[in-house]
Amino acid sequence: MTPLRFLSSVLNPHAADPVKLPPGYRNGADWVPRIGDIFPDFEAETTLGPIRFHAWAEGRWTVLFSQPGAFTPVCSTELGSLAETAPELDRRGAQAIGLTPDPVGDLANWCADVAELFGAPIRFPMISDTGGAIARACGMTHPKESPDLPIRKTLILDPALHVRMIFEYPLRIGRGTDEILRVLDALQERDRLDVATPADWQPGDVLLVPSAFSDAEADARFGAGGWQPLRRYLRVLVPGAAESRVAGNRNSGPRLPRQR
Ligand code: BEZ
């Protein structure tokens, strides 16, 4: 380190950090992303060239996933599965980006090999986090799983860069891409209609009145006949009630749910 850099680092110890963690994330223990946080910005090398993360991710839904390493069995199946799923992400206005601790050349060779093996081209970027600085700063490591490798973490970020969902899988267990799509659908439906989704919900299934709404608020939002209480604490929406309110068409009446 040059003397000038050393003097600057005394005044601002985090100036050289690759990830721009907001000061509020630094208090006490290591920061880990939580639902509602704005995911930190960083610069990185990827298989599709250098990126600044916020500029790359802002404006679309993003599935950011970390993996322990290239040319390994579980990671290869995950990469193949995400490559196959990429068109489904695209249909939802979403994009994927992966992260491993490998050099970018190794990542590019691995992507080409996995594409050949599973017959699905990897069109999304893979971040080369050699040294693991991004994984450590962004809570993608887990001391009990590995002292140095990133675990299988998946974060769904909304177009304003908020963390909306976090999945954490141990090193030996491959993640389920269907669940990523299901949660993406549920988050987008929640934002579009201001509703809640029940367990195992899929597009077209019944929706719930969020517990945060009183009955009067539910009437105001979904119409007096737009919801039914099964219990005081469990209120289901009549099919189409939320959509008709969003469309501003109060006279159209409920519509049938979409076929699955
Ligand atoms: C795997 O992908 O199989 C793997 C990679 C690193 C550590 C453990 C498992």
Side-chain angles (χ1 to χ4, degrees):
M1 189 183 290
T2 64
L4 192 57
R5 271 185 150 244
F6 170 74
L7 294 179
S8 316
S9 73
V10 172
L11 292 175
N12 181 1
H14 300 295
D17 290 353
V19 179
K20 307 283 173 262
L21 277 191
Y25 288 177
R26 294 185 189 282
N27 293 337
D30 287 346
W31 175 77
V32 288
R34 286 176 303 179
I35 288 173
D37 288 338
I38 300 235
F39 197 82
D41 199 12
F42 57 83
E43 284 178 2
E45 282 299 321
T46 82
T47 47
L48 301 184
I51 61 159
R52 176 165 274 288
F53 183 68
H54 278 192
W56 181 85
E58 194 165 18
R60 278 168 77 82
W61 289 80
T62 294
V63 175
L64 168 64
F65 63 97
S66 60
Q67 296 188 299
F71 296 107
T72 54
V74 178
C75 294
S76 300
T77 60
E78 289 184 329
L79 190 60
S81 181
L82 280 155
E84 276 178 10
T85 306
E88 286 298 313
L89 292 178
D90 206 37
R91 272 196 330 108
R92 291 158 173 85
Q95 57 192 352
I97 186 165
L99 175 147
T100 83
D102 301 280
V104 76
D106 290 0
L107 276 180
N109 290 337
W110 181 47
C111 286
D113 204 44
V114 167
E116 185 190 313
L117 185 62
F118 295 112
I122 288 109
R123 300 195 199 279
F124 49 80
M126 292 293 290
I127 296 168
S128 164
D129 183 30
T130 49
I134 300 171
R136 275 193 304 280
C138 296
M140 295 171 164
T141 54
H142 195 298
K144 296 202 172 108
E145 272 297 299
S146 165
D148 48 358
L149 299 175
I151 53 165
R152 304 182 192 285
K153 197 138 179 172
T154 311
L155 298 108
I156 299 182
L157 312 183
D158 68 20
L161 305 167
H162 295 105
V163 176
R164 299 293 299 274
M165 177 63 77
I166 304 168
F167 305 96
E168 207 168 83
Y169 287 65
L171 291 180
R172 293 196 185 180
I173 307 299
R175 69 201 100 196
T177 37
D178 283 353
E179 179 62 0
I180 296 173
L181 291 180
R182 193 192 76 81
V183 169
L184 199 46
D185 284 334
L187 287 168
Q188 293 184 346
E189 198 79 329
R190 177 245 176 272
D191 286 6
R192 188 171 72 88
L193 300 174
D194 210 0
V195 293
T197 59
D200 305 319
W201 179 89
Q202 296 282 351
D205 285 345
V206 66
L207 295 163
L208 302 177
V209 177
S211 59
F213 299 161
S214 66
D215 288 355
E217 283 167 332
D219 282 350
R221 277 166 199 269
F222 308 119
W227 58 277
Q228 286 175 15
L230 300 184
R231 292 284 186 274
R232 286 290 316 140
Y233 55 83
L234 180 55
R235 297 165 295 174
V236 295
L237 281 164
V238 170
E243 277 93 345
S244 6
R245 300 307 260 205
V246 163
N249 182 358
R250 294 170 192 219
N251 301 321
S252 66
R255 279 179 281 136
L256 290 172
R258 270 175 283 162
Q259 296 294 310
R260 285 175 51 192

